[in-house]
């Protein structure tokens, strides 16, 4: 579904998630013909910036196939220059019309950052860098009086969406021009459904996934 609108791209993702939740996935674009078709190049309709958690495989939970999604994954969906460059490449070169920040419940990176803020827990090695990048979300949640795990995770998703647009002038300009939309989705591990947390750009507000 290349060169589509952000709204259509969003509906395609959510429709695929509904199929996944209901146990009736179509497994589209996963055959030999699709593999051959994509050999010369790719035109994914969405870029997914998701957590590296092994339970959060985007092509599976959104019931998509080869060439449909450009996936970038880091622990806690934290952002660095490589992530920004990858997302910008997906929208400006490959033509992806939707950018999704995909968070989930029981996120270990969020839990570690919360422990660091509340209990003084200090992570070692480069894990500390991940924790430090999640910490601003924890502090923002505390300032807003949020204490429930689900609310804190939603705050981290919103913060990541805002950070993408604050740090990338290209993405911000694309949203302003209506070329792309950026959305934050929260995924429930047990239920399998993705719900809309926040949107920026031309996609329906509060579209449910199930």
């Amino acid at each position: 579904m290349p060169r589509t609108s952000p709204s259509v791209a969003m509906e395609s993702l959510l429709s695929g998630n509904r199929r996944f939740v209901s146990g009736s996935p179509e497994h589209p674009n996963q055959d030999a013909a699709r593999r051959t078709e994509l050999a010369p190049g790719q035109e994914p309709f969405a870029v997914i910036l998701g957590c590296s958690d092994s339970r959060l495989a985007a092509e599976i939970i959104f019931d998509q196939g080869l060439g449909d999604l450009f996936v970038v994954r880091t622990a806690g969906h934290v952002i660095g220059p490589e992530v920004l460059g990858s997302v910008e490449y997906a929208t400006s070169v490959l033509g992806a019309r939707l950018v999704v920040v995909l968070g989930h419940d029981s996120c270990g990176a969020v839990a570690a950052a919360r422990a660091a803020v509340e209990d003084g827990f200090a992570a070692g090695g480069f894990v500390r860098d991940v924790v430090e990048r999640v910490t601003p979300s924890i502090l923002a949640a505390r300032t807003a009086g949020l204490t429930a795990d689900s609310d804190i995770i939603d705050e981290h998703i919103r913060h990541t969406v805002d950070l993408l647009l604050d740090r990338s002038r290209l993405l911000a300009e694309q949203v302003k021009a209506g070329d792309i939309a950026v959305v934050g989705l929260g995924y429930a591990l047990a239920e399998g459904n993705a719900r809309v947390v926040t949107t920026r750009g031309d996609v329906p507000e509060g579209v449910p996934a199930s």
Side-chain angles (χ1 to χ4, degrees), residues 82-182:
E82 299 87 351
V83 170
L84 289 168
S86 297
V87 175
E88 289 184 348
Y89 175 76
T91 61
S92 63
V93 177
L94 301 180
R97 302 302 303 278
L98 183 69
V99 177
V100 175
V101 173
L102 180 63
H104 66 94
D105 56 0
S106 301
C107 179
V110 172
R114 189 174 185 182
V117 170
E118 297 177 356
D119 305 323
F121 168 77
F126 285 102
V127 176
R128 178 177 298 179
D129 183 67
V130 174
V131 170
E132 288 176 350
R133 295 189 191 203
V134 178
T135 297
S137 299
I138 306 301
L139 297 176
R142 291 187 70 182
T143 300
L146 304 176
T147 57
D149 288 342
S150 59
D151 292 335
I152 293 172
I153 287 169
D154 283 358
E155 179 61 29
H156 182 46
I157 293 169
R158 285 190 291 267
H159 181 264
T160 304
V161 168
D162 290 340
L163 194 60
L164 273 176
L165 296 176
D166 287 344
R167 293 190 61 185
S168 172
R169 177 179 297 179
L170 174 61
L171 295 177
E173 290 176 348
Q174 288 177 317
V175 169
K176 184 177 181 180
D179 294 332
I180 69 168
V182 181

Side-chain angles (χ1 to χ4, degrees), residues 177-206:
D179 294 332
I180 69 168
V182 181
V183 303
L185 300 181
Y187 178 73
L189 293 172
E191 294 80 6
N193 66 292
R195 58 184 174 78
V196 177
V197 174
T198 187
T199 65
R200 303 288 188 276
D202 184 23
V203 290
E205 292 281 347

Side-chain angles (χ1 to χ4, degrees), residues 30-108:
Q30 297 181 20
D31 57 11
R34 178 65 167 177
R35 186 178 67 232
T36 301
E37 175 190 353
L38 288 173
Q42 58 173 320
E43 292 184 322
F45 69 84
V47 52
I48 311 292
L49 168 55
C51 181
S52 296
D53 194 292
S54 61
R55 300 164 290 181
L56 204 68
E59 287 89 351
I60 294 175
I61 68 174
F62 292 117
D63 192 28
Q64 303 297 322
L66 296 173
D68 293 328
L69 305 177
F70 188 91
V71 182
V72 182
R73 299 176 70 177
T74 62
H77 50 80
V78 298
I79 296 175
E82 299 87 351
V83 170
L84 289 168
S86 297
V87 175
E88 289 184 348
Y89 175 76
T91 61
S92 63
V93 177
L94 301 180
R97 302 302 303 278
L98 183 69
V99 177
V100 175
V101 173
L102 180 63
H104 66 94
D105 56 0
S106 301
C107 179

